[in-house]
PDB file of all heavy atoms in Angstrom:
ATOM      1  N   GLY A  59      -8.459  17.210 -41.044  1.00  0.00           N
ATOM      2  CA  GLY A  59      -7.123  16.772 -41.476  1.00  0.00           C
ATOM      3  C   GLY A  59      -6.039  17.777 -41.204  1.00  0.00           C
ATOM      4  O   GLY A  59      -5.036  17.848 -41.935  1.00  0.00           O
ATOM      5  N   GLU A  98     -18.513  34.403 -22.856  1.00  0.00           N
ATOM      6  CA  GLU A  98     -19.793  34.022 -22.223  1.00  0.00           C
ATOM      7  C   GLU A  98     -20.846  34.940 -22.777  1.00  0.00           C
ATOM      8  O   GLU A  98     -20.686  36.146 -22.705  1.00  0.00           O
ATOM      9  CB  GLU A  98     -19.679  34.122 -20.691  1.00  0.00           C
ATOM     10  CG  GLU A  98     -20.922  33.664 -19.953  1.00  0.00           C
ATOM     11  CD  GLU A  98     -21.990  34.704 -19.960  1.00  0.00           C
ATOM     12  OE1 GLU A  98     -21.761  35.852 -19.519  1.00  0.00           O
ATOM     13  OE2 GLU A  98     -23.084  34.418 -20.446  1.00  0.00           O
ATOM     14  N   VAL A 111     -13.885  33.826 -34.237  1.00  0.00           N
ATOM     15  CA  VAL A 111     -12.889  33.213 -35.127  1.00  0.00           C
ATOM     16  C   VAL A 111     -13.200  33.615 -36.583  1.00  0.00           C
ATOM     17  O   VAL A 111     -12.324  33.840 -37.399  1.00  0.00           O
ATOM     18  CB  VAL A 111     -12.805  31.701 -34.922  1.00  0.00           C
ATOM     19  CG1 VAL A 111     -11.873  31.049 -35.978  1.00  0.00           C
ATOM     20  CG2 VAL A 111     -12.296  31.392 -33.490  1.00  0.00           C
ATOM     21  N   TRP A 112     -14.504  33.689 -36.936  1.00  0.00           N
ATOM     22  CA  TRP A 112     -14.904  34.138 -38.245  1.00  0.00           C
ATOM     23  C   TRP A 112     -14.314  35.518 -38.511  1.00  0.00           C
ATOM     24  O   TRP A 112     -13.745  35.805 -39.608  1.00  0.00           O
ATOM     25  CB  TRP A 112     -16.422  34.163 -38.383  1.00  0.00           C
ATOM     26  CG  TRP A 112     -16.874  34.744 -39.673  1.00  0.00           C
ATOM     27  CD1 TRP A 112     -17.093  34.078 -40.835  1.00  0.00           C
ATOM     28  CD2 TRP A 112     -17.202  36.107 -39.962  1.00  0.00           C
ATOM     29  NE1 TRP A 112     -17.522  34.938 -41.854  1.00  0.00           N
ATOM     30  CE2 TRP A 112     -17.577  36.219 -41.323  1.00  0.00           C
ATOM     31  CE3 TRP A 112     -17.195  37.301 -39.220  1.00  0.00           C
ATOM     32  CZ2 TRP A 112     -17.944  37.421 -41.927  1.00  0.00           C
ATOM     33  CZ3 TRP A 112     -17.566  38.520 -39.798  1.00  0.00           C
ATOM     34  CH2 TRP A 112     -17.958  38.558 -41.149  1.00  0.00           C
ATOM     35  N   ASP A 147     -29.797  40.222  -9.782  1.00  0.00           N
ATOM     36  CA  ASP A 147     -30.745  40.702 -10.732  1.00  0.00           C
ATOM     37  C   ASP A 147     -32.140  40.805 -10.075  1.00  0.00           C
ATOM     38  O   ASP A 147     -32.606  39.844  -9.449  1.00  0.00           O
ATOM     39  CB  ASP A 147     -30.821  39.717 -11.930  1.00  0.00           C
ATOM     40  CG  ASP A 147     -31.692  40.253 -13.052  1.00  0.00           C
ATOM     41  OD1 ASP A 147     -32.925  40.069 -12.958  1.00  0.00           O
ATOM     42  OD2 ASP A 147     -31.120  40.795 -14.027  1.00  0.00           O
ATOM     43  N   ALA A 155     -36.879  33.149 -13.589  1.00  0.00           N
ATOM     44  CA  ALA A 155     -35.959  32.252 -14.258  1.00  0.00           C
ATOM     45  C   ALA A 155     -36.268  32.307 -15.753  1.00  0.00           C
ATOM     46  O   ALA A 155     -37.344  32.723 -16.142  1.00  0.00           O
ATOM     47  CB  ALA A 155     -36.049  30.854 -13.753  1.00  0.00           C
ATOM     48  N   VAL A 271     -34.253  42.086 -31.470  1.00  0.00           N
ATOM     49  CA  VAL A 271     -32.938  41.585 -31.871  1.00  0.00           C
ATOM     50  C   VAL A 271     -33.109  40.389 -32.825  1.00  0.00           C
ATOM     51  O   VAL A 271     -32.253  40.202 -33.674  1.00  0.00           O
ATOM     52  CB  VAL A 271     -32.097  41.170 -30.636  1.00  0.00           C
ATOM     53  CG1 VAL A 271     -32.657  39.942 -29.867  1.00  0.00           C
ATOM     54  CG2 VAL A 271     -30.650  40.911 -31.020  1.00  0.00           C
ATOM     55  N   VAL A 293     -33.031  24.973 -40.802  1.00  0.00           N
ATOM     56  CA  VAL A 293     -32.738  25.928 -39.745  1.00  0.00           C
ATOM     57  C   VAL A 293     -32.471  25.152 -38.464  1.00  0.00           C
ATOM     58  O   VAL A 293     -33.201  24.232 -38.131  1.00  0.00           O
ATOM     59  CB  VAL A 293     -33.916  26.915 -39.544  1.00  0.00           C
ATOM     60  CG1 VAL A 293     -33.680  27.791 -38.332  1.00  0.00           C
ATOM     61  CG2 VAL A 293     -34.085  27.775 -40.826  1.00  0.00           C
ATOM     62  N   SER A 343     -34.433  17.784 -27.619  1.00  0.00           N
ATOM     63  CA  SER A 343     -34.193  16.352 -27.666  1.00  0.00           C
ATOM     64  C   SER A 343     -32.699  16.038 -27.701  1.00  0.00           C
ATOM     65  O   SER A 343     -32.240  15.117 -26.979  1.00  0.00           O
ATOM     66  CB  SER A 343     -34.864  15.760 -28.903  1.00  0.00           C
ATOM     67  OG  SER A 343     -34.564  14.399 -29.008  1.00  0.00           O
ATOM     68  N   GLY A 352     -24.320  26.857 -29.397  1.00  0.00           N
ATOM     69  CA  GLY A 352     -24.124  27.751 -30.529  1.00  0.00           C
ATOM     70  C   GLY A 352     -23.071  27.248 -31.508  1.00  0.00           C
ATOM     71  O   GLY A 352     -23.062  27.642 -32.700  1.00  0.00           O
TER      72      GLY A 352
END
Side-chain angles (χ1 to χ4, degrees):
Chain A
E98 183 281 304
V111 174
W112 175 87
D147 187 278
V271 68
V293 171
S343 177

